[in-house]
């Protein structure tokens, strides 16, 4: 055993210093590796988020175009509705006018029918009066004929 009590502090300090430098280099290397890994993860995450952002922007653009297209379609449908409502109101007005005209014509025809019925009743009455007169004249003619024939037969018998 070496009982040398004299210690070489410079060697010990140098050895401890070397160990600390090794330890510091390893720690530094590990820290740099961890930093590089973390940096790479953050870059990947940023790239992924950038892609997600780009996709989201594209979706927003597509949705904006779809919204504009739908707004245009809605405006066209509103115009069609207004046009159809106008057509319906015009058709209703024409229908009302046609119905009113038809009712007026019906009233005129009913009035004309009443007049014709009255005329027909009057003509029927005249016809019946004429038939009565005719019958009376035929009876009178028959009576005169009978009288004449009786007179002729008396004259024929009287002349013979």
């Amino acid at each position: 055993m070496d009982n040398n009590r004299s210690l070489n502090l410079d060697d010990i300090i140098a050895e401890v210093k070397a160990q600390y430098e090794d330890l510091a280099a390893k720690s530094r290397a590990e820290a740099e590796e961890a930093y590089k890994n973390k940096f790479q993860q953050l870059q990947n995450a940023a790239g992924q988020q950038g892609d997600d952002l780009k996709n989201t922007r594209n979706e927003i653009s597509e949705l904006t175009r779809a919204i504009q297209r739908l707004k245009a379609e809605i405006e066209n449908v509103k115009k069609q509705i207004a046009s159809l409502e106008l057509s319906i109101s015009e058709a209703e007005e024409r229908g009302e006018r046609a119905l009113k005209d038809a009712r007026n014509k019906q009233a005129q025809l009913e009035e004309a029918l009443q007049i014709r019925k009255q005329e027909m009743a009057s003509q029927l009455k005249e016809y019946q009066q004429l038939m009565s007169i005719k019958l009376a004249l035929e009876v009178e003619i028959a009576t005169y004929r009978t009288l004449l024939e009786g007179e002729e037969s008396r004259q024929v018998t009287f002349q013979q």
Side-chain angles (χ1 to χ4, degrees):
M1 195 158 142
D2 187 15
N3 276 341
N4 188 3
R5 297 207 173 222
S6 72
L7 293 172
N8 189 359
L9 287 178
D10 287 335
D11 288 338
I12 294 174
I13 290 175
E15 192 178 316
V16 170
K17 187 177 179 184
Q19 286 177 357
Y20 278 122
E21 284 178 2
D22 265 351
L23 189 61
K26 284 181 185 178
S27 292
R28 191 176 309 129
E30 286 176 10
E32 280 184 23
E33 188 62 32
Y35 172 76
K36 285 181 184 178
N37 286 338
K38 190 66 172 174
F39 185 74
Q40 186 63 35
Q41 287 175 353
L42 289 174
Q43 278 185 329
N44 290 340
Q48 182 64 35
Q49 288 177 356
D51 290 343
D52 290 346
L53 181 62
K54 189 183 222 182
N55 290 337
T56 303
R57 284 183 181 162
N58 287 338
E59 287 178 19
I60 289 172
S61 296
E62 289 175 17
L63 290 174
T64 302
R65 284 191 296 273
I67 288 170
Q68 289 172 347
R69 188 173 53 251
L70 289 174
K71 282 183 180 179
E73 288 179 20
I74 288 171
E75 287 301 317
N76 287 336
V77 169
K78 283 181 180 179
K79 288 178 185 176
Q80 288 176 348
I81 288 172
S83 174
L84 290 174
E85 286 175 345
L86 179 63
S87 297
I88 288 171
S89 67
E90 288 174 352
E92 285 176 346
E93 288 175 12
R94 284 192 306 269
E96 288 295 323
R97 285 193 303 265
L99 184 61
K100 187 177 179 180
D101 289 344
R103 285 184 178 149
N104 287 338
K105 286 181 182 178
Q106 181 185 8
Q108 290 172 352
L109 289 173
E110 286 177 357
E111 185 180 323
L113 179 64
Q114 288 300 322
I115 291 171
R116 296 301 175 255
K117 282 182 178 180
Q118 289 173 354
E119 288 176 357
M120 196 165 111
S122 173
Q123 287 176 351
L124 181 63
K125 189 176 180 182
E126 284 180 31
Y127 176 75
Q128 287 173 346
Q129 287 174 349
L130 288 174
M131 289 304 284
S132 294
I133 293 172
K134 178 186 171 200
L135 187 61
L137 288 174
E138 285 177 355
V139 168
E140 243 181 88
I141 290 171
T143 305
Y144 283 127
R145 186 173 289 146
T146 310
L147 286 174
L148 278 175
E149 286 174 2
E151 189 63 34
E152 283 179 6
S153 65
R154 230 183 340 155
Q155 280 183 4
V156 170
T157 11
F158 181 67
Q159 287 182 355
Q160 286 180 351

